[in-house]
Amino acid sequence: ANAEHDSYESCDQVRLDGVSSPELTVQAAELAARRLASLRASGDHRAMPEIVNLVDLPGMAAIGCDDVVERWQRLSPRTGAVVGVAAGVPLVIDIAEHGPHGLVGGMSGSGKTEFLLTLLTSLCLDNHPDDLAIVVVDFKGAVDHGLTARLPHVIALSTNLEIEHFSRTIDLLDAEQRRRQTLFAGIGSDLDAYRAARSTRPQLPPLPRLLIVVDEFSELLATETGRARLQELIRVTRIGRALGVHLLLVTQNFEGQLPPQVDANAGLRVCLRVMKPSHSKVVLDTDVAAGISDTQVGRAFVRFPGGELVDFQTARVAGRRRDLPSTPGVAAVRRVTVSDLTPGRTEARRPSVPLEETDMYALTGVLHAAAMAVGWTGTSLPWPPPLPTEVPLGDFLRRHRPNAIGGVPIGLQDCPDQQRQDVIYLDDADERMLFLGEAGAGMADVLRSIATAAAINRSPGDLHLHAIDLDGSGLAALADLPHVGTIASRDDDLARRLLAHLHDEVSRRRALLADYGCSTVRQLSDATGDRTAQIMVVIAGADRLVRRTEDTGSVLLGPLVELVAEAPGTGLQILLAGLPSLADSRLGLSFERRFVFALPGETNPVAYGAPRHLVADLGPMGRAIDVAAKRLTQFALVGDSGPAGSSQRADLAHRLRISHRSSRPRPSATTLVNVPWPLAMADLRARVVLQQPPGLRRPLPVGVDTNTGDVAWLDLDEDGPVVAVTGPRQSGRSSALASIAFLARHLGWTTVALLGSRRSPLASAVGVDFVAGPTDIASMLQGLPMSSDGSPLVILCDDAQRIDPASFDLALLHRAEPAAIFLAGPIDFLTGRHELRSALPTHRAGLLLAPTSSLDGAAVGLGGQLRGQLSAKPRPGRGFLAVAGDHREVQLPLPPSAAGAYRSEEPASR
């Protein structure tokens, strides 16, 4: 040192002291940089590990079932949880002391999920399930919570992507707060006081602390529904501390989305790496979290109440267990530049680990074993799970019997605001039920299942089932049930006749109610001691009735509306299903109890009384919204529409038939036959021989009653001598005369055809003895045999409006003494003034064929009686037989000469 000093003294330069030289070679600088590259800054300048495993922390290693039971006995209830390491020691977060509510922020890949899983697992390890309950709502679809649901303390994990599903959680949470306020009344002001009281009053139910985790909270504010339900969340933040309810809101960015009330009550604030300083400031009131490197996955800052800010490394539970044998891996090698090794370019994502190989998977198994060891059977918190997507009818009816008033269980209804799920019933008071939804929503399946449930719980004498399937939805599958009478499947004519039959039955019952001074059939049964059968009619595709088109089903609308109006109190239930257009129609407006199923694309559910936040849950088959109750409903279904479902239904029907064989016989449901069109003469002739009724002096069969399938007879001695045969063009008047001629000749009578037109088919009809054209009627009548000389005489006048009245010499007719004169002509001929009609006696009976208007009934003395009874598709040879003001619908057979003139269009139908 002295030598160096002397050398400076000997030079001529000015001496400078206190000078530091910054020179450094490139090689030395690069060496120093490389040695410093692996080091990371720490808040307290002490070493912070990059990976911390929860099971490696003090007290967490090798935890078994007995250890968990011992921890619960020693620590539970405990609100603190070990979540990581800070300054070399475990960091404990207390959800009550540091809360009562908390915020967790951090961008994707920062380790938020690691933190949440660790927090929840740590809490579960130190708390008996009776002391802690957890609800997780994840708006990401629960993709990061595959193991969360396995924790015994987790009572609900919402995995749905729809924000609307959060409304159910809000309703449950609101109901739970009300329940707790009721429990605390007279005991104490908070959860701790309640637990203290329970130690001396064990009859009090256990009350767990409730932690609600809302993952991706910002998604809640992205929809109108979410924003509308935010006020309920705000109310939780105000009163949650005393009630033992805690909210943990998690999202990537709270900026501009945190309500002031939530901000004021969120004492616990955790933030992992974020993109912008402003994102960090919202949570921590400082931008420090924006400086966390993307290589520091799980690095976070926590601000406790009072302002203390601590950085820590989140402990992991989702990493691979160290006790598993290592698996050989393949190293990926690539050539990079120095700039590629900067922190901004480093890939921070850890490789995914199969769930069953993680620490958390092992710990959840231990927790479940511990819960079983202490005899825990399930949460004491009334927090029902969402409705099941399937409710098999058989299993459902085995679990639930009819209610006190005999109502049949038909499904489950979600009541989150009351913390329960109720069984819904169909009872006698449910006289009109409307089901609205899109095609394919499964409403026909619901109709079948409700009818089947009613059949299972009632005998065929107590329940009469009918069905009208307007769009071929499969209601014909009900036909095997012993309770079923008539099913009209895509058969508007049979449906019309069924409605007419039901109208008659309702009228009969209303008369009985009036006679006994009763208002309902239940009261009538009590008064008479005779049970009156319940009638159930299920109708699918009812929207066809109200479409403003030339739809053939429109003729059913009037009779159905009238039936609905007159049915109350008579024991008639009508279940109606169709498209939403049905709701505001004259028919739909009379149905008070409504269920809305999945609706067509752009349809506004609110317009039909369905709350918007429930519509997202209408996916499963049989799922609907009860409009009056504003509740989600899952109907029990008897089976699918495939072979398995058909087999199940057939087996059920078979067992029902066997079970009811020994029951006391009672009148069963009326089955309206479906008489084929056209009707072959051979079919009628067989019936005539077997069914000729006694007591008629001069019986003549004219057709088949379409309601009963019996032969319709005229007593010509009582109902003659003149019988009108009328109808519009092409209604089959001439063929009807030919058929009557054949049947009369079959009975041995003499038949005479008087033709107003030589083109009449009656000129060559089989069974006609004498034929006279327009010009030789008088001469032919003169040559007729005397009535005393032969069989009774039947005169058939075709195209009577063209016959010269002078041809009808009344003296000649009196001489012949005809049994009947069938006078066929158009409707205006029989309703107007005509000399021929004036020359003949007034007719008491008549056949009206293929009428198109109820006014046509005037031609046969029916006035307006046919209103609502006309066929949707008028057909030749089918019409009404009127006798002295009464009428019934008939089908005339084809005359033998015309066999094959018509092709049958009637589908096989019951």
Side-chain angles (χ1 to χ4, degrees):
N2 291 333
E4 184 178 341
H5 176 74
D6 292 342
S7 65
Y8 280 114
E9 289 292 337
S10 61
C11 69
D12 297 331
Q13 301 296 324
V14 178
R15 177 186 176 90
L16 297 177
D17 296 324
V19 176
S20 299
S21 175
E23 288 86 356
L24 189 67
T25 65
V26 173
Q27 292 79 6
E30 183 177 346
L31 178 62
R34 289 185 177 278
R35 289 178 177 177
L36 293 172
S38 62
L39 303 180
R40 294 292 181 268
S42 174
D44 60 359
H45 305 291
R46 281 176 280 183
M48 183 80 73
E50 291 191 2
I51 297 178
V52 176
N53 294 297
L54 182 65
V55 296
D56 295 335
L57 296 178
M60 296 290 185
I63 296 179
C65 174
D66 294 339
D67 300 308
V68 172
V69 172
E70 185 275 330
R71 292 171 74 98
W72 288 350
Q73 293 172 346
R74 175 170 50 89
L75 300 174
S76 187
R78 183 172 186 244
T79 54
V82 176
V83 296
V85 172
V89 297
L91 176 70
V92 175
I93 285 180
D94 193 305
I95 60 173
E97 179 183 348
H98 299 150
H101 311 297
L103 308 176
V104 178
M107 62 184 298
S108 178
S110 63
K112 289 196 309 296
T113 302
E114 293 278 2
F115 172 76
L116 289 177
L117 296 180
T118 298
L119 173 66
L120 300 181
T121 304
S122 184
L123 284 170
C124 293
L125 288 171
D126 291 343
N127 284 275
H128 187 284
D130 281 343
D131 293 327
L132 175 68
I134 300 171
V135 173
V136 179
V137 181
D138 185 4
F139 292 130
K140 302 190 305 295
V143 295
D144 293 328
H145 290 278
L147 288 172
T148 304
R150 299 186 74 247
L151 294 168
H153 304 66
V154 174
I155 59 174
L157 172 62
S158 174
T159 62
N160 299 292
L161 296 174
E162 297 289 346
I163 301 299
E164 284 77 4
H165 292 288
F166 186 61
S167 291
R168 183 177 190 272
T169 302
I170 291 292
D171 290 337
L172 284 166
L173 185 55
D174 187 59
E176 175 60 18
Q177 290 185 122
R178 294 195 305 270
R179 185 179 78 98
R180 293 187 178 220
Q181 289 170 333
T182 301
L183 288 174
F184 290 176
I187 295 178
S189 59
D190 57 19
L191 179 61
D192 292 333
Y194 177 85
R195 286 175 170 171
R198 186 169 178 267
S199 63
T200 58
R201 297 164 60 182
Q203 72 273 17
L204 293 175
L207 194 61
R209 190 173 294 274
L210 179 59
L211 174 61
I212 311 291
V213 179
V214 182
D215 204 350
E216 287 308 327
F217 166 76
S218 61
E219 294 294 326
L220 177 64
L221 305 180
T223 67
E224 181 180 349
T225 301
R227 292 189 294 272
R229 303 307 302 264
L230 184 61
Q231 293 303 315
E232 283 89 342
L233 268 185
I234 293 174
R235 186 169 64 250
V236 173
T237 63
R238 292 200 307 265
I239 64 176
R241 179 188 294 274
L243 299 179
V245 178
H246 306 271
L247 280 175
L248 190 63
L249 307 181
V250 184
T251 192
Q252 296 187 34
N253 174 25
F254 284 102
E255 187 176 10
Q257 304 186 72
L258 192 60
Q261 299 92 331
V262 176
D263 191 18
N265 288 280
L268 176 64
R269 295 161 176 266
V270 177
C271 192
L272 293 93
R273 182 171 66 91
V274 291
M275 287 293 293
K276 299 179 180 179
S278 58
H279 298 172
S280 175
K281 287 182 178 181
V282 174
V283 181
L284 301 174
D285 200 26
T286 175
D287 60 3
V288 63
I292 300 175
S293 169
D294 63 355
T295 62
Q296 297 173 296
V297 178
R299 187 63 54 85
F301 287 86
V302 56
R303 184 177 291 281
F304 296 109
E308 181 185 4
L309 185 67
V310 177
D311 68 329
F312 70 99
Q313 180 66 36
T314 297
R316 301 187 69 198
V317 289
R320 192 170 187 273
R321 293 164 48 192
R322 265 73 58 218
D323 59 336
L324 295 177
S326 59
T327 56
V330 178
V333 180
R334 60 192 176 97
R335 184 172 183 174
V336 299
T337 63
V338 173
S339 60
D340 290 329
L341 297 177
T342 60
R345 298 290 189 93
T346 303
E347 297 176 359
R349 274 285 187 183
R350 296 180 179 131
S352 60
V353 179
L355 297 182
E356 62 274 10
E357 296 182 6
T358 62
D359 290 323
M360 188 173 177
Y361 186 88
L363 289 174
T364 54
V366 172
L367 286 166
H368 272 284
M372 295 180 62
V374 298
W376 186 74
T377 57
T379 181
S380 58
L381 196 65
W383 197 283
L387 286 174
T389 57
E390 294 182 4
V391 179
L393 182 64
D395 296 339
F396 180 72
L397 294 181
R398 280 189 285 271
R399 293 194 305 270
H400 305 287
R401 308 304 301 169
N403 61 13
I405 60 174
V408 177
I410 57 175
L412 290 174
Q413 196 162 83
D414 195 25
C415 309
D417 57 327
Q418 299 179 16
Q419 296 180 287
R420 68 171 189 260
Q421 288 177 357
D422 291 341
V423 176
I424 59 170
Y425 296 86
L426 176 75
D427 54 42
D428 295 348
D430 295 314
E431 295 181 315
R432 291 171 286 191
M433 296 178 67
L434 182 64
F435 303 89
L436 302 172
E438 64 181 354
M443 293 180 291
D445 297 86
V446 172
L447 293 180
R448 283 199 306 266
S449 298
I450 291 177
T452 302
I456 290 174
N457 286 281
R458 296 181 180 180
S459 71
D462 293 325
L463 175 68
H464 297 170
L465 279 173
H466 303 281
I468 298 177
D469 193 351
L470 295 168
D471 55 4
S473 300
L475 296 186
L478 293 170
D480 292 332
L481 294 175
H483 307 67
V484 172
T486 301
I487 295 181
S489 182
R490 282 184 174 172
D491 188 339
D492 294 337
D493 193 49
L494 182 59
R496 175 186 54 80
R497 293 192 287 118
L498 173 60
L499 293 177
H501 163 73
L502 294 173
H503 186 274
D504 292 342
E505 176 63 18
V506 165
S507 299
R508 184 187 70 83
R509 293 188 177 194
R510 288 175 64 87
L512 282 175
L513 292 175
D515 289 343
Y516 284 88
C518 301
S519 58
T520 66
V521 291
R522 183 180 290 272
Q523 296 175 2
L524 179 64
S525 297
D526 294 339
T528 62
D530 185 21
R531 295 197 311 273
T532 302
Q534 187 80 5
I535 302 175
M536 179 185 295
V537 183
V538 293
I539 305 176
D543 54 280
R544 287 186 61 232
L545 305 180
V546 298
R547 295 177 190 169
R548 297 185 179 275
T549 64
E550 295 300 323
D551 193 88
T552 56
S554 60
V555 297
L556 301 177
L557 181 59
L560 183 56
V561 170
E562 185 176 352
L563 181 65
V564 170
E566 297 185 2
T570 62
L572 173 65
Q573 291 177 309
I574 301 178
L575 280 60
L576 202 67
L579 295 175
S581 58
L582 188 62
D584 298 326
S585 67
R586 180 163 57 111
L587 175 62
L589 289 174
S590 60
F591 283 72
E592 302 90 356
R593 191 171 187 188
R594 300 184 173 196
F595 291 89
V596 173
F597 291 73
L599 297 172
E602 300 302 321
T603 306
N604 180 12
V606 179
Y608 300 98
R612 190 180 300 277
H613 69 274
L614 294 179
V615 175
D617 286 310
L618 292 180
M621 188 71 70
R623 180 68 58 84
I625 297 171
D626 186 336
V627 172
K630 307 297 182 186
R631 301 195 190 283
L632 207 61
T633 302
Q634 180 65 46
F635 288 98
L637 299 180
V638 68
D640 58 40
S641 58
S646 300
S647 176
Q648 180 183 352
R649 289 190 293 270
D651 178 66
L652 174 62
H654 176 70
R655 287 189 282 112
L656 284 176
R657 285 193 296 270
I658 294 176
S659 66
H660 292 304
R661 280 177 183 171
S662 59
S663 60
R664 182 170 64 90
R666 297 187 62 213
S668 57
T670 300
T671 301
L672 301 180
V673 299
N674 193 11
V675 177
W677 183 90
L679 177 66
M681 180 62 74
D683 294 338
L684 182 64
R685 288 181 61 185
R687 293 172 183 263
V688 169
V689 173
L690 297 175
Q691 301 178 9
Q692 184 167 337
L696 301 183
R697 293 188 59 187
R698 288 184 174 177
L700 175 68
V702 293
V704 174
D705 188 315
T706 57
N707 284 334
T708 65
D710 298 331
V711 173
W713 295 81
L714 280 173
D715 185 351
L716 296 183
D717 187 63
E718 180 72 21
D719 304 327
V722 177
V723 179
V725 179
T726 187
R729 287 176 55 83
Q730 305 299 320
S731 61
R733 298 190 305 259
S734 298
S735 295
L737 291 180
S739 297
I740 292 171
F742 181 84
L743 291 168
R745 194 71 187 87
H746 176 70
L747 294 176
W749 296 4
T750 300
T751 59
V752 177
L754 305 181
L755 309 181
S757 170
R758 295 191 181 278
R759 295 179 180 178
S760 170
L762 203 59
S764 58
V766 178
V768 176
D769 295 314
F770 300 93
V771 178
T775 60
D776 52 3
I777 292 178
S779 59
M780 191 272 292
L781 287 176
Q782 291 178 354
L784 290 176
M786 299 290 291
S787 60
S788 57
D789 297 339
S791 60
L793 187 66
V794 175
I795 298 178
L796 305 112
C797 301
D798 195 15
D799 293 322
Q801 76 278 7
R802 297 184 178 184
I803 295 178
D804 183 0
S807 302
F808 275 83
D809 188 332
L810 293 180
L812 293 175
L813 289 178
H814 179 71
R815 172 178 173 273
E817 292 186 3
I821 299 175
F822 286 85
L823 201 64
I827 293 174
D828 57 359
F829 165 70
L830 290 169
T831 56
R833 296 182 179 274
H834 196 278
E835 292 183 32
L836 178 59
R837 288 189 60 250
S838 302
L840 295 174
T842 303
H843 62 269
R844 295 183 69 250
L847 280 168
L848 175 62
L849 302 176
T852 58
S853 168
S854 60
L855 299 177
D856 295 346
V860 290
L862 295 181
Q865 295 182 47
L866 299 183
R867 185 168 56 89
Q869 301 180 42
L870 301 184
S871 174
K873 186 188 297 184
R875 288 169 172 166
R878 178 166 290 190
F880 295 91
L881 173 63
V883 178
D886 290 332
H887 67 281
R888 53 176 164 168
E889 189 170 354
V890 295
Q891 170 71 52
L892 273 71
L894 284 176
S897 60
Y902 310 117
R903 292 190 302 274
S904 176
E905 299 177 7
E906 258 346 305
S909 175
R910 184 165 181 166

